[in-house]
Amino acid sequence: MTILLVESDQEDARLAEKAISQYPPIRSHVVHRARDAREATRYLRQHSAVDVVLSEMRLPDAEGLETLAIFRQVAGSTPVVFVVAADDKLLAQDALGKGAQDYLVKGEYADGRLSKAVGYAVECKRYQDEIQAAQAQARDMQDQVQSLRQECEQLTVMNKAKDDFISLASHQLRTPATGVKQYIGMVLEGFAGDVPEHIRPFIAKAYESNERQLAIVNDLLRVAQLDAGRLELRPQPTALKEMLLNIVSEQSSKFSQRQQKLVFEPGPGQVFAAVDAGRMRMVFDNLIDNASKYTPEHKTVTVGLRQDSGQVEVSIKDEGVGIAPENIDKVFEKFGRVANSRSELVGGTGLGLYWAKRIVDLHHGTIQVRSVLGEGSEFVVRLGLA
Ligand code: ADP
C-alpha cells in the first residue's frame, strides 16, 4: 500500500509513520512524505499509484476545505484521510460531507486508530471501485440488451417483409399455374379434339411439371400463412382410423407404381382426437409421402395407430435411407432439406416437416423421429385424445 503523508511538522510526521508501522502495523506499506500542498501535488502528478492521502487539514500553503479541493483535482478519487487539531473537528466533518474518507485528531493514535482509518479508507475505496465497475458492467449489459432488442425488431420487420413477399409472389404464381392445369387438363381429356398419341406423353409431362410447381406454390403459401399467424385451427373430435385409411388408400397406387408396400396397422376400435381434420390430414399425408420418397423400391412403409394412456400415437415407419443423428433437428427447420441418396431424385422444398411440426405443436402434440442411417426412420406423432 502506498501512503502519501502530507505533514509540515517533522516530529508529527515521525509519530504518524510510527503509528502506521506499529499500532498495528499495516503490512507491506510505503510512506512518501510531502511537507505542503505544493509538494504533495507534485508527487501525486508524478505517481498515480498512491492508495491513500493522509494529510493535515491546515498546511502552510492550503487551508481547510481548499486542501481537499486540491487533492481531488490532482488525485481524483484517491481516498483522503485528514489529521486535524482537536478544535478543527467541525471543519473535518464538513470535509467528510464533501468527499473526504475519514478524519482523526492529531496525536490520538491509540488503539491503532490511525492504521485502522488508513486501512478502512483503502478498503472502502476498493469496494467503491468494485461497485463502480459492476455498475459500468450493468450499463454495458443494458446497452447490449437495448441494441439486441433493436436488432431483433429490425429482423422481425425484415422477416415480415420476406413473409409478405413470399405470400404475394405465391399468390401471383398460383393463378397462372391453375390456368395451365385447367387448359392442359382439358386438352388431355379431348375437349380440343383428339390428341395424337405421339404428342400425349409430352402434354402429360407438362401437366405433371405444372402439378409439381403448384404443389411448391401451395407449400409456400401455407407456410407464409402459418408464419404470419393467419392460420386458424378448427379442432373437432376426429376419427383417426378413418382419416389414415383414406390417406393410405389414396396413396396406395403411388406406392405400387414405386414398387413399395404400404401397410396399415390400426389397433382395435375407433380412436378420436380433437384435431383440425384438414390440417392434420396434410401432416400425415406428408409423412407418408416422405416415407415413400426416401425409401427405395421393394421396401415396406408401415403406418400404425395406437392408443396409449390418454394419448393417441400415429407412427409412420419406413425402411428407407434414414437420417444421420446430426441432421435429426435440421429436418424440422424451415427449408431444412438434407441431402441423401434420394433427395436429388425426388425433389422437395424442405417445408413439409416444418409445417408438420408447427401444426402438431399448435395441437399441443409432439412429433419425434427415430432413425438409423441406411436402415430407415420412424416418425411418431402423439396427440391428446378427444
Ligand atoms: P422435403 O421432403 O421437401 O425436402 P421435408 O420437410 O418433408 O422436405 O423433409 C426435410 C428433409 O428431411 C428431407 O429433405 C429429407 O432429407 C429428410 N426426410 C424427411 N422424411 C424422411 C424419411 N422418411 N426418411 C429419410 N429422410 C427424410
Side-chain angles (χ1 to χ4, degrees):
M1 181 194 299
T2 304
I3 303 165
L4 176 62
L5 174 62
V6 192
E7 173 59 71
S8 53
D9 184 274
Q10 177 69 30
E11 182 53 18
D12 284 349
R14 196 187 61 76
L15 281 176
E17 276 194 57
K18 191 173 164 196
I20 291 167
S21 330
Q22 296 182 1
Y23 310 123
I26 294 177
R27 274 196 287 143
S28 56
H29 72 274
V30 186
V31 178
H32 291 283
R33 175 157 170 236
R35 269 175 286 262
D36 52 28
R38 211 161 52 109
E39 265 187 36
T41 309
R42 194 179 321 130
Y43 186 85
L44 286 168
R45 284 215 171 97
Q46 287 165 1
H47 304 85
S48 57
V50 172
D51 292 301
V52 56
V53 177
L54 177 63
S55 172
E56 281 184 294
M57 238 187 140
R58 293 185 194 278
L59 291 167
D61 54 353
E63 276 282 311
L65 294 177
E66 186 196 349
T67 320
L68 180 64
I70 291 171
F71 292 146
R72 279 279 158 273
Q73 202 183 8
V74 193
S77 61
T78 307
V80 176
V81 176
F82 280 123
V83 176
V84 297
D87 49 0
D88 268 345
K89 272 189 185 171
L90 275 179
L91 186 63
Q93 273 162 11
D94 209 4
L96 283 191
K98 298 207 158 56
Q101 198 72 48
D102 205 352
Y103 75 92
L104 289 114
V105 174
K106 190 176 269 194
E108 290 184 2
Y109 302 151
D111 310 331
R113 231 175 269 172
L114 184 58
S115 295
K116 277 185 202 154
V118 167
Y120 287 150
V122 172
E123 202 138 304
C124 258
K125 172 70 174 48
R126 214 186 49 233
Y127 286 138
Q128 275 168 6
D129 287 351
E130 278 172 12
I131 289 170
Q132 271 171 11
Q135 281 170 339
Q137 226 176 347
R139 274 195 301 276
D140 264 8
M141 280 168 79
Q142 265 170 359
D143 288 351
Q144 277 176 21
V145 168
Q146 179 66 12
S147 73
L148 279 174
R149 200 171 283 148
Q150 278 169 356
E151 242 171 82
C152 185
E153 278 164 14
Q154 278 170 1
L155 284 174
T156 310
V157 170
M158 278 162 64
N159 201 31
K160 176 157 186 324
K162 181 209 68 192
D163 284 347
D164 288 350
F165 171 74
I166 292 179
S167 173
L168 187 83
S170 320
H171 256 299
Q172 300 299 330
L173 286 170
R174 191 156 69 160
T175 315
T178 312
V180 172
K181 177 185 168 83
Q182 275 171 0
Y183 286 111
I184 299 189
M186 282 160 72
V187 171
L188 280 175
E189 282 171 30
F191 281 89
D194 286 343
V195 181
E197 277 315 303
H198 67 286
I199 293 185
R200 183 172 283 277
F202 294 103
I203 300 182
K205 281 268 177 250
Y207 187 85
E208 273 169 34
S209 297
N210 188 60
E211 284 287 280
R212 278 207 300 281
Q213 179 172 317
L214 257 178
I216 292 171
V217 170
N218 283 336
D219 270 3
L220 286 170
L221 262 177
R222 270 205 320 251
V223 167
Q225 198 188 20
L226 180 74
D227 287 346
R230 287 200 306 264
L231 191 134
E232 240 181 74
L233 290 185
R234 290 194 189 84
Q236 301 270 346
T238 306
L240 290 187
K241 195 190 269 188
E242 214 174 294
M243 177 191 281
L244 290 168
L245 207 55
N246 269 330
I247 302 174
V248 166
S249 66
E250 247 180 52
Q251 292 207 24
S252 60
S253 62
K254 179 176 69 196
F255 274 75
S256 327
Q257 275 166 26
R258 292 179 182 167
Q259 293 172 312
Q260 294 163 334
K261 217 163 122 190
L262 177 58
V263 179
F264 182 35
E265 287 178 349
Q270 260 304 0
V271 180
F272 286 89
V275 294
D276 182 314
R279 267 58 181 258
M280 200 48 79
R281 192 182 201 288
M282 285 186 209
V283 170
F284 296 136
D285 214 23
N286 184 265
L287 291 175
I288 297 172
D289 184 47
N290 270 356
S292 166
K293 269 166 52 176
Y294 299 108
T295 297
E297 293 166 359
H298 310 294
K299 300 280 183 186
T300 302
V301 171
T302 310
V303 178
L305 174 65
R306 275 176 298 279
Q307 191 173 322
D308 186 26
S309 56
Q311 277 198 322
V312 48
E313 193 180 286
V314 177
S315 58
I316 295 103
K317 191 172 189 306
D318 64 52
E319 299 169 348
V321 293
I323 305 164
E326 65 272 20
N327 290 326
I328 288 281
D329 289 336
K330 193 179 168 202
V331 298
F332 293 105
E333 288 171 10
K334 193 167 7 173
F335 301 112
R337 292 216 81 203
V338 173
N340 59 41
S341 56
R342 293 185 59 84
S343 49
E344 282 286 302
L345 182 76
V346 295
T349 55
L351 290 174
L353 287 182
Y354 171 75
W355 158 269
K357 175 150 175 40
R358 292 285 311 272
I359 294 294
V360 172
D361 285 349
L362 286 174
H363 282 87
H364 309 293
T366 59
I367 177 164
Q368 282 171 332
V369 55
R370 278 189 292 265
S371 189
V372 179
L373 202 58
E375 289 184 20
S377 314
E378 182 175 31
F379 286 79
V380 180
V381 176
R382 288 191 184 84
L383 299 163
L385 280 170

